[in-house]
Amino acid sequence: MLTRAWRWLFPTQRLTLELRGSIVDTVAQLRGRILPRGFRSTFNTGVTGRVDECGVKVRYQRAWVRNDMAPVFVGRFVTTNHGLCLTGEFRSRLWTRIFLAFWFGFILLWWAAALAITIGSKIPRLPLPIVILGPPPRTAPGPPCAQTGRPACAQ
């Protein structure tokens, strides 16, 4: 079940491309079309990453923008009966997946703790929609304070 949830949160898209020519020619053509990595890629729009005989790891880069949520294509060259193929998948970056896993885990933990506190609270009629909104806890101080009888601006 955890793997199904992980794949639902971080979907991947498989892709297979049939290529013409040898691996060396294909790698040379791809390297010629890929922007150089590093500080210079900040000023250009295009595909950046690495290409070698073992595989490909590329992403689309816009000028002056870094988008870690954008997918990365990770693939490798495979020889089949039909010839040379590039097989891989689009997926999110590893650090993005780790960050989002911690973020979603924090939100779920927040909801569970808030629900447990709300159910076990001695304050009558604490509105459950306020609990489900999630972090930050003081997103709307008016309604919960009005339910408990305190003024909205009281600390």
Side-chain angles (χ1 to χ4, degrees), residues 7-139:
R7 287 185 182 157
W8 181 77
L9 288 172
F10 309 112
T12 61
Q13 180 68 41
R14 291 196 155 288
L15 178 69
T16 301
L17 300 171
E18 292 183 15
L19 305 172
R20 296 183 198 134
S22 66
I23 292 179
V24 176
D25 296 337
T26 304
V27 168
Q29 287 178 359
L30 288 174
R31 280 186 183 159
R33 295 175 188 242
I34 290 182
L35 296 173
R37 291 173 66 180
F39 184 69
R40 291 183 297 168
S41 69
T42 306
F43 308 109
N44 300 319
T45 298
V47 178
T48 183
R50 70 162 182 83
V51 177
D52 55 20
E53 288 77 16
C54 298
V56 176
K57 186 173 183 179
V58 293
R59 67 181 181 88
Y60 183 74
Q61 168 76 36
R62 288 190 207 146
W64 299 99
V65 176
R66 178 161 177 101
N67 184 4
D68 284 337
M69 297 292 183
V72 176
F73 179 77
V74 179
R76 59 189 175 92
F77 297 104
V78 177
T79 305
T80 63
N81 296 337
H82 304 292
L84 183 63
C85 291
L86 177 61
T87 303
E89 61 186 11
F90 286 96
R91 59 183 176 208
S92 49
R93 295 176 45 154
L94 177 64
W95 292 111
T96 303
R97 287 182 281 174
I98 291 171
F99 168 76
L100 288 176
F102 277 112
W103 181 250
F104 289 137
F106 170 74
I107 289 174
L108 289 175
L109 188 63
W110 176 274
W111 282 352
L115 187 63
I117 290 169
T118 302
I119 291 172
S121 175
K122 294 181 181 181
I123 300 173
R125 296 181 20 206
L126 187 64
L128 195 57
I130 297 300
V131 172
I132 294 178
L133 286 178
R138 302 273 300 189
T139 54

